[in-house]
Amino acid sequence: MTKIDTSSPQSVLPTPSHTVGPFYGYALPFRGGEDIAPLGHPDTITVHGYVLDGEGRPLPDALVELWGPGPDGELPTADGSMRRDPASGGFLGRNGVEFTGFGRIQTDANGHWYARTLRPGARGDSAPYVSVCVFARGLLVHLFTRIYLPGDEAALATDPLLSRVDPERRDTLIATEEGTGTYRFDIRLQGEGETVFLEFQ
């Protein structure tokens, strides 16, 4: 048996750096995860963007989850995001009728993601927003943030959470309108322009 003298710092080699995963890419994504709005709904909007690392490079294997209320501000209670065939256990897809408010999207090779959903209504004193959870390489714990949609500046100015965020970073929580019904929201994990992330206790 070989013994190692640990009393001297020079005798102990450092353990190599290692990140966890991303193992979730195997089972968590599901077909149609980006189609949150019922098919053909006239009020469907598209929210899209990129997940970027601290140097602004896109992450091709991140996972973005979205949850949001319906246009009336009420949280949906309908099942149906990930229906399974009771006989085979295979994924049947959404039923295309109920709005569940939930979606899960894997970024593509360019780090891009998109979702088709319904514009959320305001809840309480909050401006309309969609909750976001991000999984990505090197993250031991997933990150939470919000996507606020532009259009009601008075509501954004008085939103309880936005009003507590440093004004210089507030824009990292507000999507940019690109055209009728299309909004862009990039998620920067760190570095310059880092997205504001939330911690729940």
Side-chain angles (χ1 to χ4, degrees):
M1 172 185 275
T2 305
K3 293 189 177 181
I4 299 174
D5 177 12
T6 58
S7 61
S8 169
Q10 288 80 16
S11 65
V12 179
L13 298 175
T15 302
S17 168
H18 188 272
T19 60
V20 174
F23 304 117
Y24 50 77
Y26 169 69
L28 290 180
F30 61 95
R31 191 173 65 256
E34 68 279 357
D35 291 316
I36 304 169
L39 296 176
H41 196 289
D43 299 324
T44 299
I45 64 170
T46 299
V47 183
H48 77 103
Y50 292 84
V51 178
L52 306 166
D53 67 14
E55 295 180 358
R57 293 182 303 228
L59 296 181
D61 50 12
L63 201 65
V64 178
E65 286 188 349
L66 304 178
W67 304 277
D72 59 1
E74 297 295 319
L75 292 173
T77 57
D79 292 332
S81 291
M82 296 183 284
R83 295 182 312 136
R84 296 203 177 274
D85 183 328
S88 70
F91 180 67
L92 291 173
R94 295 179 187 269
N95 65 17
V97 178
E98 276 84 19
F99 174 70
T100 65
F102 173 78
R104 182 181 291 154
I105 309 101
Q106 189 168 13
T107 56
D108 65 17
N110 298 314
H112 184 256
W113 64 274
Y114 74 93
R116 289 183 289 268
T117 187
L118 299 179
R119 185 181 178 100
R123 302 188 69 229
D125 296 331
S126 297
Y129 69 87
V130 176
S131 296
V132 181
C133 182
V134 182
F135 301 80
R137 65 174 76 178
L139 293 180
L140 299 179
V141 179
H142 44 277
L143 301 173
F144 296 98
T145 189
R146 288 181 177 179
I147 301 173
Y148 286 90
L149 298 178
D152 188 341
E153 300 312 311
L156 292 171
T158 59
D159 180 85
L161 185 132
L162 282 177
S163 61
R164 294 173 54 195
V165 175
D166 184 332
E168 294 181 1
R169 299 194 61 209
R170 198 170 294 152
D171 285 346
T172 69
L173 294 175
I174 303 173
T176 303
E177 188 168 7
E178 292 189 324
T180 306
T182 303
Y183 302 88
R184 179 165 174 173
F185 186 81
D186 292 339
I187 302 167
R188 187 177 291 268
L189 299 181
Q190 59 180 235
E192 185 177 350
E194 176 185 329
T195 301
V196 172
F197 295 105
L198 310 175
E199 183 175 302
F200 296 97
Q201 298 180 345

